Amino acid sequence: MHVMVTGAAGMIGRKLAERLGQEGALAGAAITVLTLSDIVAPPVPAGFAGAVSRVTADLAAAGVAERLISARPEVVFHGAGVVSAEAEMDLEKGYHANLDGTRMLLEAVREVGGGYRPKVVFTSSCAVFGAPFPDVIPDDFHLTPLTSYGTQKAMCELMLADYSRRGFLDGVGLRLPAVCVRPGPPNKAASGFFSAIIREPLAGRDTVLPVSEDVLHTHASPRATVGFLIHAAGLSRDVLGPRINITMPGVCCTVGEQIEALRRVAGDAAVARIRRAPDPLVERIVAGWPHRFDAARARALGFVAESSFDEIVRIHVEDDLGGRLPA
């Protein structure tokens, strides 16, 4: 099986490639070729026995998607794009990376024709929903995004569903909650503080909390997120039906509850490294996001997330800190 990952240099793309390389199989089939694409060179997963092709290019640039798809990968994990605050602050960049890149990819698949119909797993976002919200967002809640990022993701969801309906590909879109705790340096996501208030104190560094502690959100770890993507690749169209864009499960809690989970895992000294500094832009963006999801359909389809935020903190310690808390 030939598997392709776009956005493979990003945190989720990198962890997905590592997992695919370790397991060497997907949906019961051995992976023989792994194509990794991003605007910077993606790392090669250690221990993978098959062939690895790395493509360093802008997916939305002319000819790039056609070149990638010409090898006819059976499964495409499409995660390339820019994050929420970056898409909000730079309109042209957001539409270029998030919408144009997806359109180029799907068009390249369509143009191959000849019965080629790959599985395309798209990383969408719960930012496709917009206020006013009920207490719990049901699976069939309307798409009325209040940010450019959410708008771009919603447009891609519709295109994915239409190309699947027409038989050009077999698509599934995953509306991810906040992925937390993200390792590595901070990115430009408006949701970045959800990870920073855990990651930085655990690394012995001070960090800033730009919103109130009563902000409520839903989270899933990078480990669970990679699990979502891999599980989605094995779902048939008969199981999914025509509603191929699905809201993923997660742990719903307030920022204050996140901080208390950090305290239980790492103690008062870690919590003392969090400084409050309100940021109006981040507060405005976060205020337009949904908070709690029913996600009954995802759970019925076998998607599994964590059961507590304490578990999410411990997963970060296990997966990214070598299982040890800093002194």
Side-chain angles (χ1 to χ4, degrees):
M1 175 186 287
H2 181 179
V3 176
M4 186 172 81
V5 180
T6 73
M11 187 273 292
I12 293 299
R14 187 175 66 251
K15 284 183 175 285
L16 172 62
E18 289 171 358
R19 173 95 168 261
L20 294 172
Q22 289 167 3
E23 297 184 354
L26 179 65
I31 301 172
T32 54
V33 180
L34 193 56
T35 296
L36 308 176
S37 170
D38 211 324
I39 57 172
V40 297
V44 176
F48 178 57
V52 177
S53 172
R54 295 194 297 170
V55 178
T56 305
D58 177 359
L59 183 63
V64 173
E66 290 87 347
R67 177 157 56 97
L68 288 168
I69 293 300
S70 65
R72 298 196 175 197
E74 286 96 334
V75 178
V76 177
F77 291 100
H78 176 41
V82 298
V83 292
S84 51
E86 191 171 9
E88 189 69 10
M89 290 185 291
D90 190 334
L91 184 72
E92 290 183 2
K93 185 176 185 179
Y95 274 91
H96 176 81
N98 294 333
L99 178 61
D100 294 346
T102 301
R103 184 175 60 85
M104 292 292 194
L105 179 68
L106 301 189
E107 272 293 282
V109 170
R110 183 183 69 83
E111 289 171 359
V112 169
Y116 175 58
R117 191 170 179 263
K119 187 77 174 185
V120 177
V121 182
F122 170 60
T123 55
S124 188
S125 168
C126 289
V128 297
F129 301 123
F133 301 118
D135 290 338
V136 179
I137 309 297
D139 284 320
D140 57 356
F141 194 68
H142 51 81
L143 305 188
T144 50
L146 297 179
T147 63
S148 293
Y149 176 73
T151 300
Q152 292 148 16
K153 289 293 187 180
M155 294 168 79
C156 292
E157 283 192 11
L158 292 172
M159 193 183 309
L160 185 74
D162 192 38
Y163 278 51
S164 294
R165 178 185 65 83
R166 286 179 170 271
F168 302 138
L169 51 87
D170 182 9
V172 55
L174 307 185
R175 295 172 184 145
L176 301 179
V179 180
C180 186
V181 176
R182 288 179 172 269
N187 64 15
K188 296 182 180 180
S191 61
F193 68 89
F194 288 124
S195 288
I197 61 173
I198 307 300
R199 179 190 61 240
E200 301 305 303
L202 286 175
R205 296 187 291 263
D206 293 343
T207 192
V208 169
L209 174 62
V211 300
S212 167
E213 287 191 20
D214 62 3
V215 166
L216 186 70
H217 207 63
T218 297
H219 310 270
S221 73
R223 184 193 294 179
T225 302
V226 168
F228 295 159
L229 294 166
I230 290 174
H231 182 68
L235 293 177
S236 70
R237 183 63 186 271
D238 290 340
V239 170
L240 282 172
R243 293 171 56 208
I244 64 168
N245 295 292
I246 311 165
T247 303
M248 292 294 99
V251 175
C252 186
C253 62
T254 65
V255 168
E257 288 168 335
Q258 282 186 265
I259 293 171
E260 290 309 306
L262 174 65
R263 192 189 308 276
R264 286 189 291 271
V265 173
D268 293 337
V271 172
R273 291 192 173 275
I274 302 171
R275 178 172 61 85
R276 280 68 175 170
D279 183 321
L281 174 62
V282 174
E283 288 177 326
R284 179 177 65 80
I285 292 174
V286 172
W289 289 346
H291 307 136
R292 190 189 305 272
F293 308 95
D294 181 42
R297 185 160 178 255
R299 291 189 175 91
L301 288 168
F303 291 95
V304 178
E306 290 78 22
S307 58
S308 71
F309 199 82
D310 293 56
E311 186 180 355
I312 289 177
V313 176
R314 292 191 180 99
I315 284 173
H316 176 64
V317 174
E318 292 171 9
D319 290 359
D320 299 297
L321 300 179
R324 296 182 300 275
L325 291 172

